[in-house]
Amino acid sequence: DTGVSQDPRHKITKRGQNVTFRCDPISEHNRLYWYRQTLGQGPEFLTYFQNEAQLEKSRLLSDRFSAERPKGSFSTLEIQRTEQGDSAMYLCASSLVRAGGIYNEQFFGPGTRLTVL
Amino acid sequence: AQTVTQSQPEMSVQEAETVTLSCTYDTSENNYYLFWYKQPPSRQMILVIRQEAYKQQNATENRFSVNFQKAAKSFSLKISDSQLGDTAMYFCAFMPYQGGSEKLVFGKGMKLTVNP
């Protein structure tokens, strides 16, 4: 088991360009989360998937952001027309949620650091 | 909405000493979880310790223990016998217990440096 992986680890882009990040969760994990962490702040929730269904999106996720999880495995987060304010660490986490409401630990990936010039 | 506050942005401690990190939170929920996460430099975030709000007993994990004061909405982390590998950002986090998204609400974090 290799844990949650994210690709790329670093991305530098020019304002106005589109970028796409990938997250591969722990195998068999049915929940996948995206968080954004700006400098000096804690991670903030963006969106999450239960299998392939996107069940909640934060108001932080503007129309320029889109996330997918086809087939309920890996997920992609795309940012269109990037702005300097999008510069941040984008974190992915996954968990295995079972029926019964028992706590399910989220395991985090190393993150993708985006710099928009 | 829930909020988590970590008022100390940075602390340092000598190796082998004990250090306490503070955290307060605000919520109208009665059942929830509280966490401390550790984020070492350039490495991924890992869970240090978890506390269920309905449990009166404070959680302990080896050198890490918490002081959970539900009425005061306070959740501090004590690290005993500090080690160089404890150097990291530490985040306090909250999660409602009722299921649903199980999204985490984090504080701003605190940078801990353990000096040799």
Side-chain angles (χ1 to χ4, degrees):
Chain A
D1 182 14
T2 56
V4 179
S5 61
Q6 294 186 245
D7 184 70
R9 294 291 304 276
H10 303 272
K11 178 71 176 178
I12 300 174
T13 191
K14 293 182 179 179
R15 188 177 55 185
Q17 298 295 306
N18 299 343
V19 294
T20 300
F21 311 140
R22 176 178 171 127
C23 170
D24 286 88
I26 292 173
S27 180
E28 307 302 323
H29 277 193
N30 51 11
R31 282 270 178 101
L32 188 147
Y33 300 81
W34 285 99
Y35 294 86
R36 181 172 69 186
Q37 185 178 14
T38 54
L39 200 61
Q41 302 293 322
E44 295 175 291
F45 169 79
L46 291 179
T47 188
Y48 89 100
F49 293 83
Q50 173 83 18
N51 298 312
E52 66 275 7
Q54 187 174 18
L55 297 186
E56 185 174 342
K57 293 191 291 186
S58 162
R59 57 180 173 77
L60 294 175
L61 215 64
S62 75
D63 291 344
R64 297 184 297 105
F65 288 70
S66 63
E68 295 181 341
R69 193 184 182 197
K71 303 178 183 178
S73 56
F74 71 92
S75 175
T76 58
L77 178 67
E78 181 184 15
I79 308 175
Q80 296 182 326
R81 305 181 303 280
T82 53
E83 301 173 356
Q84 288 185 326
D86 297 331
S87 295
M89 176 77 84
Y90 290 84
L91 297 171
C92 176
S94 71
S95 66
L96 177 61
V97 174
R98 301 179 183 88
I102 297 172
Y103 162 73
N104 308 291
E105 182 177 347
Q106 291 183 28
F107 294 84
F108 283 81
T112 294
R113 182 170 295 283
L114 172 66
T115 302
V116 181
L117 302 176
Chain B
Q2 295 89 11
T3 58
V4 176
T5 302
Q6 294 178 252
S7 57
Q8 305 156 302
E10 193 165 353
M11 293 183 73
S12 63
V13 64
Q14 293 299 120
E15 197 174 7
E17 291 186 347
T18 295
V19 63
T20 298
L21 288 59
S22 63
C23 172
T24 58
Y25 61 94
D26 190 25
T27 182
S28 57
E29 304 282 347
N30 191 46
N31 294 317
Y32 47 86
Y33 295 102
L34 293 164
F35 309 89
W36 280 97
Y37 279 86
K38 170 184 177 181
Q39 189 177 40
S42 300
R43 293 180 59 187
Q44 57 217 77
M45 195 170 307
I46 57 174
L47 179 65
V48 174
I49 198 165
R50 174 183 92 245
Q51 175 78 43
E52 290 88 342
Y54 65 88
K55 290 187 177 179
Q56 292 186 336
Q57 186 174 6
N58 289 323
T60 299
E61 288 287 343
N62 301 314
R63 298 183 296 108
F64 299 88
S65 61
V66 299
N67 183 3
F68 173 49
Q69 301 291 327
K70 190 173 183 179
K73 294 182 180 174
S74 170
F75 183 62
S76 61
L77 174 70
K78 185 172 80 172
I79 305 175
S80 304
D81 186 26
S82 297
Q83 301 176 359
L84 297 178
D86 294 333
T87 293
M89 286 291 296
Y90 285 82
F91 294 93
C92 180
F94 171 98
M95 183 176 79
Y97 183 73
Q98 80 272 19
S101 69
E102 296 187 353
K103 62 188 175 187
L104 293 161
V105 177
F106 288 89
K108 288 187 176 182
M110 196 221 68
K111 182 179 180 181
L112 176 68
T113 303
V114 180
N115 299 307

